[in-house]
Every structure is written in structure tokens, then in C-alpha cells.
Amino acid sequence: MDTNREDKELFERYADMVYRISISYGHPPHLSEDIVQDVFLRYLRKRPHFESREHEKAWFIRVTVNCCKSLFSSAWMRRVGPLEEAEQVAIRPQYTEESELYELLSRLPSKYRIILYLRYYEEYSVKDIAALLHITPNLVSARLTRARKQMKQEILRETSFLSGKEQM
Amino acid sequence: MNRELFKETYHRIYLTENQKNKIWNQLEDSAENKRARIRTCLSFRVAVCASVLLLSGMTVFAAGNLSIAEKIATAMDFLTGNDKELTDDRKSIYEQYGNALDNEIPMEHGTLRLEAALYDEHYLLIPFTFHPTEEFALTAGETIENTPLYQTLLNTELSEPSIYADQKKLSTGSRFTTLNPEVTADGTLTGSYLLSIEKEVYETGDNIRIARTETSETGDITEQLLSSFTLENMLDCKSIPVDASLFQAKEASGDASPYQLKGITVDSVTLSPLSLCFTGTMNEEGKACSGQLSHLWFYNTSIIQKDGEPVTLSRNGGCYVPAHINESGDSTYTMMLLFDSPMLLTDVSGIRIRHTEWDVDLWIPIE
């Protein structure tokens, strides 16, 4: 199981995506790093043949989702490493509109977040998302609708909370 | 949904160069397998398939000369880095609570023999030996760390064990494989599987099944059931009463430290001769400092014996399992610390969690 330049390129291409999916599932940064490592270890051990770039990307998404969905997702915390690691944050800490959206997203169940991510960030179709997650297109559509509705409710709740504060 | 805003949000979630370098270096280390360690995650979506090779009772090999205590001690010491002598107390614990196994699993390059099992509600340790076929015979005393066979054994044949118990679906948190690259006098390799049992508790009489996972080219994860055995002995765990106010003191003080334990509860502490386990819940506020929590536990928890000496923790096997959602919507966590060798519970005075920088100094007495 040696690594080579192509592996490094593949890592550069997909490491952030794997990390984002893991964060979307609600895993903290240190565990998401472990998931990045696990996914690429699986690749290095298996070295699957990819027919296309799409196939390659889909494989990494599928394996990441499988790892993230584990009820027992867990990390061997090595008793080494600098203390600063504990201070990692998922989203870079500038308080902007995006970080507010991230806060709202993080309140959604992970099954909604992953679908929102695949639909709006990776721009997969409902049919493709269904194939990636091994669920029916109808369920994907239903979850998308529920996710949007819940987001809307969260935004409204946030707005009314803020306006209430202003009145005070 | 504002698609651009959404994209921007996710654009700002990325790995820093430092994080990437760290992960890549670890991947390269794994590729080189300098330390014979494997970390794996177990997928929820597994398909149990293929054949069951229940081979208890077969006698391919002559009975080994080592006692069950020696077999467990050999595996445990290699795993934990313990270099102390096998004392009578330790030997007695291994003999009394160890389970003798003789499951033999034929593999491509030889036969895997599960030698014993030691279980304490938190961890299951299964020492094994690997007996190569004639074609792949090894020379006594040689070290095979850099050979293709060693890589194959570690990465394929002996890797990724999963565990099941009767009537229960999936049952392990993490799995950890060690394989000593030094060939023994009889031409075999020794190693162990260490499984952290994060949620469920096995009981004596449970039938434990061992499986191996594989990832297909389509990304599906399948499992092959390899072997099984019945758990006959287990180490007793002691539940330690916890004064919850100890852990809430920082919240009450209104301290603005970023490391305060706000939003985190400690619901139970259990201690066995082999390990210590904390469980609790984290609300949204607590999840934000989950990383600090793990550092607090891992780096600053000491189990103090009555002679004042701390118990040495294992170099491998500490385990932190966050984020199971309970009925109230809070996330639960489990934190496990493995000792480098077992000890008598009657020798323990208490548990100290101390971090001067964070102004944490907790003492949990063990009665």
C-alpha cells in the first residue's frame, strides 16, 4: 500500500469535500479529520478502478457517507499531539452572513444537511442524490422540502428573536 | 434557498494546510505501517454476507506452551507498551477472567488462531497468533515489518474485525489491530484485536461473532462472518457515584474561560481493573467544546492508587465516541481510557482530573 503522486493529487482533490460531508453530518472537526483519513485509507487499500471523474467523485462521496452514517463512528484518540488541536473550528471564524447560515444549518438533522449539501453545493440532481445515498428519489425530494421548510422556520424564529431583542 | 450564500458557507469549511499535512503524513505512515496499527470506522450500512466459519474445537495446531495468562499478557504488553514484569496479581487477573479460545480461521497465507478473550464492559481484547503456510514460512527471530507479507496481513487478511453478539446488531465502537512484526520461536506471529464496546454490555453466555469488512468498488461495505465464541468470564466493572455539581462548578461561577464545561454533564463513571469510562451528555453549547472535553479527559485524568502512584495509561486504545442523539435531543458521549496493565480495584484511591490552565481540579474518591 504505497502512496504516489496521483494519490496525493486525489487527496488534494477530495479531502475538503470529504471533510465538508463529515461536518455536514454533524461530526466535530477532529472526528472529521479521522473520517478523511479513513476514507483515503479505504481508497489506498482497495484502489478501485474509476471509469470517469464522476465515478471517482461518486465513490468518495459514497464511502464518506457510509463512514459518517455509522452509528458507532468513533475515533481512536491518540495520546499524542499538540493541545492547539482542540481549538479547531469547523467554519473559519469571521462572523458573517455565511456563519449565521451555518449556525442555522447545524440545527437541521444530518439526513437533511447531507441532502442540502449534495443538492446546493455539489449540484447533484435528485436522482443522483438518491443513487448516492441509496434512497428513493421521492424520499430525497421529501427531505429537500422538509429541510427548506425547517430552514425557513429557523430563520423566522431567529428574526423574531432578534426583533424582540431590539424592542427590549 | 440562496444558492450562492449556501455555497459560500460551505466554501468556508475546509481543511487547513496543517490539517491536510497531518492527515497525509498519517496516511503515509499507515502505508508504511511502521507501528502496525489500523484505525477503522464501522459503517452502519453493512450487509452481512458470505459463509460462517465456526471452527471452535478444531485442532490444526498442537496446544501452545503458553498459559492463558501469558498469552493475554504478551498481547496486552505489546498493545499498551507495558514493559513491567508479569506479577502474580496481574497473572491471577488474566487467569481468572480470561476466556480460553481455540478458534482457527484459514486464510490465504496461513491460519489465524484466536487464542483468548478478555472483556470488561468497555473493551474486548482478543490475542491471536498467525501461523503461516509452508509457502510463506517465517524464520524464528526475524522481523518482517517491511515485507509485502506483513503489509498484506495487516492491511487485508487480519484487518478490520467487527463484532456481533447474539440478538444484537452492531456492537462495537472502534477496532484496533496490532501485529508484532517479530517472528516467534515457533515461526508464528502474535498480535491482538482490541474492540471498544461503546454502548452495549455483553454478559457471560453471550455468543460473540467476529466478522471482517470490505469496501467494494461501488463503495458498498460488506461483512464476512469469520468465527464465534461464547463469553464465559468477564472482569467486573465498578460504578462510581459522581457528584454532578463538581462538573457544573465552572458554569455556576460564570467564568468566561473558553474551556469551561458548560453544556456538558457527566452521567456515569465506571472503573474496571483494565479501564475507566466516562459517559454523559452534551447540549449544543457543550458540543462546541467537545474537543476540549476530550483533551481534558485524555491528558489530565489520573487514576491514583492508595500508594499515591498514578496508574499508567496505555499508549494505544483510548477512545472518545461523541454524538449519539438521545431522546431529549442532546448528544451523548463516551470516553474510555485503557490502562497499560490490569490492577486490583481495591488498590485504587480515586480519580483526579486536573488542568491548571483551565482551573479544573476534580477529585472523585473510590470507596
Side-chain angles (χ1 to χ4, degrees), chain A residues 37 45 62 70-71 74 92, chain B residues 12 14 42 174 220 324:
Chain A
Q37 190 177 337
R45 285 191 200 132
R62 275 297 310 279
S70 166
L71 276 180
S74 54
R92 304 301 152 200
Chain B
R12 290 184 50 216
Y14 57 87
L42 179 61
S174 295
D220 291 324
H324 290 288

Side-chain angles (χ1 to χ4, degrees), chain B residues 247 278 296-297 300-301 351-355 360-362:
Chain B
F247 295 90
F278 292 93
L296 183 64
W297 273 196
N300 303 287
T301 301
I351 300 162
R352 163 143 277 152
I353 304 166
R354 174 186 276 172
H355 193 295
V360 172
D361 191 355
L362 307 177

Side-chain angles (χ1 to χ4, degrees), chain A residues 1-4 7-8 11-12 15-16 19-20 23-24 26-38 40-42 44-50 55 59 62-63 66-67 69-99 101-102 105-106 113 116-117 119-123 133-135 147-148 151, chain B residues 1-3 5-17 19-24 26-28 30-33 37-45 123 151 155 159-160 170-176 194-196 198-200 213-221 259 284 287 290-292 294-295 297-299 313-324 337 355 357-358:
Chain A
M1 192 177 71
D2 294 324
T3 56
N4 55 37
D7 295 330
K8 187 71 197 284
F11 178 78
E12 290 293 338
D16 282 338
Y19 185 71
R20 285 187 190 112
I23 293 287
S24 295
H27 294 310
H30 65 280
L31 184 58
S32 297
E33 282 182 29
D34 282 338
I35 283 177
V36 173
Q37 190 177 337
D38 286 333
F40 281 90
L41 264 178
R42 284 178 190 278
L44 291 172
R45 285 191 200 132
K46 185 73 190 172
R47 291 197 178 281
H49 168 69
F50 299 121
H55 181 204
W59 188 91
R62 275 297 310 279
V63 173
N66 282 339
C67 286
K69 280 171 75 174
S70 166
L71 276 180
F72 302 95
S73 56
S74 54
W76 287 106
M77 303 288 289
R78 289 175 181 166
R79 295 181 53 79
V80 292
L83 204 60
E84 304 86 74
E85 284 175 22
E87 292 163 14
Q88 292 163 12
V89 287
I91 190 159
R92 304 301 152 200
Q94 295 142 329
Y95 200 80
T96 62
E97 213 177 351
E98 296 96 63
S99 58
L101 177 62
Y102 178 77
L105 280 169
S106 63
R113 285 202 301 262
L116 286 174
Y117 171 80
R119 181 77 186 98
Y120 294 116
Y121 188 82
E122 298 293 349
E123 299 188 340
L133 300 182
H134 277 179
I135 55 179
R148 287 195 208 103
M151 279 289 283
Chain B
M1 176 69 62
N2 183 330
R3 190 174 295 223
L5 182 59
F6 193 90
K7 282 203 158 201
E8 266 311 303
T9 302
Y10 270 97
H11 255 318
R12 290 184 50 216
I13 299 172
Y14 57 87
L15 290 161
T16 62
E17 281 308 305
Q19 285 174 295
K20 278 186 183 170
N21 288 339
K22 189 179 82 179
I23 296 169
W24 181 253
Q26 283 172 351
L27 280 167
E28 288 197 313
S30 297
E32 289 168 14
N33 277 305
R37 293 191 282 191
I38 291 178
R39 303 180 322 140
T40 55
C41 271
L42 179 61
S43 169
F44 175 53
R45 186 186 290 267
Y123 288 99
Q151 308 299 331
N155 295 319
S159 74
E160 299 194 20
L170 301 172
S171 51
T172 60
S174 295
R175 298 156 289 164
F176 198 62
L194 179 76
L195 305 108
S196 70
E198 177 244 331
K199 209 171 176 183
E200 296 154 1
T213 56
E214 283 205 354
T215 309
S216 72
E217 291 199 6
T218 56
D220 291 324
I221 297 175
Y259 303 112
E284 288 301 317
K287 272 196 273 185
S290 168
Q292 285 90 331
S294 66
H295 272 265
W297 273 196
F298 275 106
Y299 291 93
L313 297 177
S314 168
R315 69 181 175 191
N316 295 314
C319 184
Y320 172 49
V321 189
H324 290 288
L337 299 171
H355 193 295
E357 196 182 325
W358 299 356

